[in-house]
Amino acid sequence: MNKILKLTFNLILAISLFSCDSRHAQEKQADKLLADIQMLIDQNSLNSAKIEIDSIHKRFPMLVEKRRIAAALEDTIIRRESARSLVYCDSILPGKIHEMDSIQKNFRFEKNEKYQEIGNYVYKTQQTENNANRTYLKTYVDENADFYLISNYCGGKIEHGSIEVSSNDLFAHTDTISSSDPNYHGFDDGSLHFEAVTFKNQADKGVIAFITQSTAKQIKVTLHGKKSYIYYLSDADRKAIVETDHLWKVKKDVVQLQKEIKKASFRIEQINRSKNKIKSGK
């Protein structure tokens, strides 16, 4: 019995010593990695530093203190990246806002306070009241920088669900929208029939890019549905589409920069708040 106890004790002791040696070796490896991470941060090789931080968490799950140091270094990286993002966005944003305001002078802001939460910027020649009973392509940009292409049609019922624009052998074609889709609207007003089909953002499938980049004198517009209808894009509508596309691109930049500023500020504030809690012992 004593022999068994002695063997058991020796086995436990050996395991403990091996475990201590193993832990000590792991700690040395972790310390080396942490030093490498600090060096990478000092060299502004932040992506490489983040990869090494991930490896510490994966390789040494039991070394809580070392992982805590790695997490602190990760906060340093996030704070540095966020500060850099803030500097960049703050330097670019005023110029973009100025450019956007300059373009918007040729647009009218439309918003029905009773029915709309988001207002729209419509080019001066494409205001609804000035284009009644006309078949044309209308574009506008809303406050969230979403782009809308609307095919307005007036004539015999065709139930069109897509638009094709073409010049010579080149063409672009939108998505097809069914007559049961909320983006399709058809109605009769006395003796006239009206259809309006709305394509939001990428649903235009390159139609806007085709119009803005085309150097052809005339662009043919074909409305496809149960019947087809063909007309040619007017110079005024082409100009309106080009200007709206320009506004959309600049407005997207402004919205994205504002989001990045908000995101970076929030991340820095979050890290600072967490750091203050640790200092205060809460």
Side-chain angles (χ1 to χ4, degrees):
M1 189 71 174
N2 288 335
K3 198 173 183 180
I4 294 172
L5 288 172
K6 189 175 181 181
L7 284 171
T8 303
F9 175 78
N10 288 336
L11 181 62
I12 293 172
L13 182 62
I15 291 172
S16 298
L17 290 171
F18 176 79
S19 177
C20 288
D21 287 343
S22 177
R23 185 180 181 87
H24 182 67
Q26 286 186 351
E27 286 181 345
K28 284 185 70 175
Q29 292 172 24
D31 285 337
K32 173 67 169 58
L33 263 179
L34 288 170
D36 290 343
I37 291 166
Q38 184 62 64
M39 183 178 67
L40 288 169
I41 291 173
D42 293 340
Q43 294 171 350
N44 270 324
S45 300
L46 303 185
N47 287 331
S48 297
K50 283 190 279 189
I51 292 170
E52 295 299 332
I53 287 171
D54 287 340
S55 73
I56 281 188
H57 293 305
K58 289 175 183 176
R59 289 176 59 187
F60 311 111
M62 304 302 292
L63 301 184
V64 177
E65 187 57 38
K66 304 302 180 183
R67 292 181 63 195
R68 188 177 289 119
I69 295 170
L73 289 171
E74 188 171 14
D75 284 347
T76 299
I77 293 171
I78 292 171
R79 191 162 48 236
R80 186 171 295 189
E81 287 178 333
S82 299
R84 186 187 297 170
S85 180
L86 276 176
V87 170
Y88 173 77
C89 293
D90 283 339
S91 68
I92 299 294
L93 184 59
K96 285 291 181 180
I97 289 176
H98 178 73
E99 184 180 359
M100 182 181 70
D101 290 342
S102 298
I103 301 168
Q104 283 179 179
K105 290 176 182 177
N106 292 321
F107 288 74
R108 188 175 79 175
F109 181 68
E110 296 181 348
K111 184 176 182 179
N112 186 317
E113 296 294 342
K114 189 174 180 180
Y115 301 106
Q116 288 180 278
E117 292 183 4
I118 302 168
N120 307 317
Y121 293 90
V122 182
Y123 194 70
K124 58 186 178 182
T125 61
Q126 292 204 317
Q127 294 167 17
T128 304
E129 59 269 28
N130 299 332
N131 292 279
N133 305 341
R134 189 166 83 86
T135 297
Y136 70 109
L137 296 181
K138 177 179 180 176
T139 51
Y140 68 84
V141 178
D142 71 14
E143 290 180 279
N144 289 338
D146 284 316
F147 188 96
Y148 295 84
L149 166 65
I150 303 175
S151 174
N152 287 301
Y153 167 79
C154 177
K157 190 173 184 179
I158 63 171
E159 292 188 27
H160 77 291
S162 65
I163 308 164
E164 180 184 305
V165 290
S166 59
S167 175
N168 299 322
D169 295 330
L170 301 174
F171 70 94
H173 196 291
T174 64
D175 280 346
T176 299
I177 292 174
S178 71
S179 57
S180 61
D181 193 292
N183 289 308
Y184 175 90
H185 185 52
F187 64 95
D188 293 303
D189 182 11
S191 59
L192 295 174
H193 175 74
F194 295 90
E195 295 174 14
V197 187
T198 303
F199 303 88
K200 182 179 177 180
N201 294 332
Q202 283 72 33
D204 81 298
K205 294 296 183 183
V207 164
I208 296 301
F210 184 94
I211 293 170
T212 58
Q213 295 169 17
S214 177
T215 57
K217 289 184 178 179
Q218 285 192 317
I219 294 176
K220 183 168 73 172
V221 182
T222 305
L223 308 182
H224 294 286
K226 288 187 175 179
K227 295 179 181 178
S228 293
Y229 182 85
I230 295 174
Y231 67 96
Y232 287 88
L233 192 66
S234 72
D235 290 340
D237 288 334
R238 177 190 273 196
K239 183 179 180 181
I241 290 169
V242 169
E243 290 296 313
T244 306
D245 181 64
H246 187 194
L247 174 62
W248 175 55
K249 288 173 179 172
V250 176
K251 200 164 187 64
K252 271 201 309 180
D253 288 343
V254 169
V255 169
Q256 186 59 38
L257 285 167
Q258 290 172 335
K259 284 181 179 177
E260 289 298 323
I261 288 172
K262 189 174 180 180
K263 178 182 173 183
S265 299
F266 175 76
R267 292 172 82 184
I268 291 172
E269 183 183 343
Q270 203 173 32
I271 289 170
N272 289 341
R273 192 184 298 122
S274 176
K275 200 172 180 181
N276 290 334
K277 278 185 179 179
I278 292 171
K279 282 184 178 179
S280 62
K282 293 180 180 179

